Amino acid sequence: MKIVVIGGTGLIGSKLVQTLRERGHDALAASPKTGVNTITREGLAQAMDGAAVVVDVTNAPVWEDKAVLDFFETSGRNLLAAEAAAGVRHHVALSIVGSERLPDNGYFRAKVAQERLIKASGIPHTILRATQFFEFVGGIAQSATVDGEIRLSPALIQPIASDDVVAALAEVALASPVNGTLEVAGPEAIPLDELVRRFLQATKDTRKVVPDIHARYFGDVLNDQSLTPGRNPRLGAIRFEDWLVLQAAR
Ligand SMILES: NC(=O)c1ccc[n+]([C@@H]2O[C@H](COP(=O)([O-])OP(=O)(O)OC[C@H]3O[C@@H](n4cnc5c(N)ncnc54)[C@H](OP(=O)(O)O)[C@@H]3O)[C@@H](O)[C@H]2O)c1
């Protein structure tokens, strides 16, 4: 089966292409680096030719509020139009758990806009919402650092290894469309400040983490429901501690 992975050269996309090929599928890694651009539409119609499934794991190059919204709206519109023209039978997209619960986060607003376009497209689809990747924890620390100190909410977060996201995404891409949303999260919920403290300790980073219930996460104050999944999420198998050990070994 021909499966086009839009964003197929990125963190998730490159592993997904490999997984799908290992299972015997004709997986195409589509991105500007391979001549397929969802903003300019370069190479898009050609990439869709004969595709049964399209998986959208693109990411915006710039995360400023307007730029990221423009990216996901334009990319989504162009991609869905090309899929409709080619008769694609299943559109799969990777989104984020809790996007609609954090309205002051411009990136999350853009993901909600991306989801809205998919739901209105009429194309059979499955939206898989994942929690934050372990690979993103360093970025969270960076974004919350002021004068060498990191203030973070102790609200629960349930992050996941990118390998577990890829496994769930491959399963979804090979199944029938659910015309709805599924969730996938890591195996354990951890207070956000503690998660970052463990990451810094493992990476021998001496910055201090201060718990602060008022600290904002990319614009929003968090509670224990903000970043954790709802009922019956799929759960990844890889624990954060084990992932940290693996990263150190690499
Ligand atoms: N980070 C998290 O914690 C998290 C959690 C849940 C969901 N997600 C979602 O996961 C998705 C994938 O994230 P990621 O970390 O794998 O992203 P990434 O590593 O930054 O990769 C982004 C991909 O998008 C491609 N791309 C950029 N502009 C494009 C365009 N105009 N046309 C086609 N492709 C384009 C890039 O292609 P080039 O390599 O050619 O530039 C690259 O392949 C995102 O949608 C994100 O919202 C992330």
Side-chain angles (χ1 to χ4, degrees), residues 60-226:
V62 179
W63 290 12
E64 180 273 322
D65 285 3
K66 186 177 178 319
V68 73
L69 183 65
D70 283 351
F71 176 86
F72 279 112
E73 286 194 329
T74 307
S75 174
R77 268 196 205 103
N78 289 341
L79 180 57
L80 291 162
E83 288 178 35
V88 168
R89 298 197 298 270
H90 189 185
H91 177 92
V92 177
L94 183 60
S95 192
I96 308 177
V97 163
S99 294
E100 77 293 348
R101 293 195 288 265
L102 299 179
D104 290 331
N105 181 324
Y107 188 89
F108 280 18
R109 286 199 300 274
K111 295 298 286 185
V112 170
Q114 178 192 22
E115 291 187 4
R116 209 176 289 131
L117 288 171
I118 296 166
K119 290 171 191 163
S121 70
I123 298 174
H125 62 270
T126 307
I127 295 168
L128 180 68
R129 282 182 157 199
T131 51
Q132 285 63 40
F133 308 158
F134 291 165
E135 286 82 352
F136 188 54
V137 175
I140 296 175
Q142 206 49 43
S143 77
T145 301
V146 178
D147 295 333
E149 186 181 84
I150 304 175
R151 299 192 91 81
L152 281 172
S153 168
L156 291 176
I157 182 168
Q158 199 167 329
I160 183 168
S162 63
D163 283 351
D164 278 335
V165 175
V166 170
L169 207 48
E171 213 179 287
V172 165
L174 298 177
S176 301
V178 303
N179 294 316
T181 303
L182 304 172
E183 291 190 324
V184 65
E188 53 192 354
I190 309 169
L192 178 58
D193 64 321
E194 178 58 24
L195 176 78
V196 170
R197 205 171 287 117
R198 288 188 205 173
F199 175 79
L200 297 181
Q201 206 170 15
T203 54
K204 301 189 176 19
D205 188 322
T206 56
R207 279 177 290 172
K208 191 174 166 223
V209 181
V210 180
D212 177 355
I213 55 166
H214 303 294
R216 287 175 185 267
Y217 175 83
F218 298 101
D220 291 277
V221 172
L222 302 178
N223 61 40
D224 285 348
Q225 283 71 47
S226 303

